[in-house]
Amino acid sequence: MEIKELGHLVLYVRDIDRSARFYGEVLGWRDITPAPPGGSGERLPVAAFSARSGRTHHELLLIEVGADAAPLPTGRRVGLYHFGLKVGDSDDELREALARLRQEGIPLSGATDHGVTHSLYITDPDGNEIELYIDTPGVDWRTDPDALFTSPKPLHL
């Protein structure tokens, strides 16, 4: 078997409306969720999103599990640490993302220069960590795999 690419991510969320707004309106994903049957206007307990590039049928699926769902464990644990979303190809585009986050009142949990990427870290409404990044121009990680293991430094945009 050979993995060709990471296809999609599925997250459980407490409140589908809140999370759909975050991923759609704040982060700019294209909501491709079908309208509810019967024209009720009430959102189904799922939401599907695709990047504007149209690379694949969907990249993110959210499933509502309700307000009484167990919270994500804190501290060192097994499981998802974060997922990365590429927001452009330059620090200017990363600055634009930062401005949007500030406009929406989304706090940063970190900003890191990884050598191969410049990254901003945030959490979604349910506490899932997200890395918003650009690949650092001029860093050739394909011919220099050691570049992936550069010591992280604070990012100053």
Side-chain angles (χ1 to χ4, degrees):
M1 173 184 352
E2 177 187 345
I3 304 301
K4 304 295 184 190
E5 63 186 29
L6 180 62
H8 62 269
L9 179 68
V10 178
L11 297 174
Y12 290 129
V13 300
R14 291 181 189 284
D15 181 315
I16 197 67
D17 292 322
R18 177 183 71 175
S19 293
R21 180 191 174 287
F22 177 82
Y23 284 99
E25 295 177 25
V26 176
L27 295 187
W29 288 64
R30 186 169 54 100
D31 189 339
I32 58 169
T33 311
S40 70
E42 188 173 316
R43 180 180 276 281
L44 297 171
V46 298
F49 296 88
S50 178
R52 301 214 184 270
S53 67
R55 179 188 66 86
T56 188
H57 39 77
H58 76 287
E59 283 138 327
L60 177 66
L61 180 68
L62 306 176
I63 302 172
E64 184 177 72
V65 292
D68 61 343
L72 290 173
T74 59
R76 294 177 57 85
R77 64 190 174 351
V78 173
L80 180 70
Y81 173 27
H82 70 261
F83 60 93
L85 301 173
K86 186 174 179 181
V87 298
D89 296 305
S90 70
D91 281 341
D92 285 341
E93 289 169 293
L94 197 58
R95 284 184 198 95
E96 289 173 17
L98 178 58
R100 176 74 176 146
L101 295 171
R102 287 180 175 155
Q103 175 186 356
E104 291 290 334
I106 307 295
L108 288 184
S109 54
T112 305
D113 177 348
H114 290 287
V116 295
T117 65
H118 289 168
S119 305
L120 303 174
Y121 293 88
I122 61 172
T123 56
D124 77 359
D126 292 291
N128 295 298
E129 187 170 296
I130 303 166
E131 176 185 5
L132 304 173
Y133 74 93
I134 58 108
D135 288 327
T136 308
V139 175
D140 186 3
W141 51 267
R142 286 181 175 90
T143 58
D144 180 12
D146 290 341
L148 295 174
F149 302 100
T150 301
S151 295
K153 299 179 284 260
L155 178 64
H156 305 285
L157 286 177

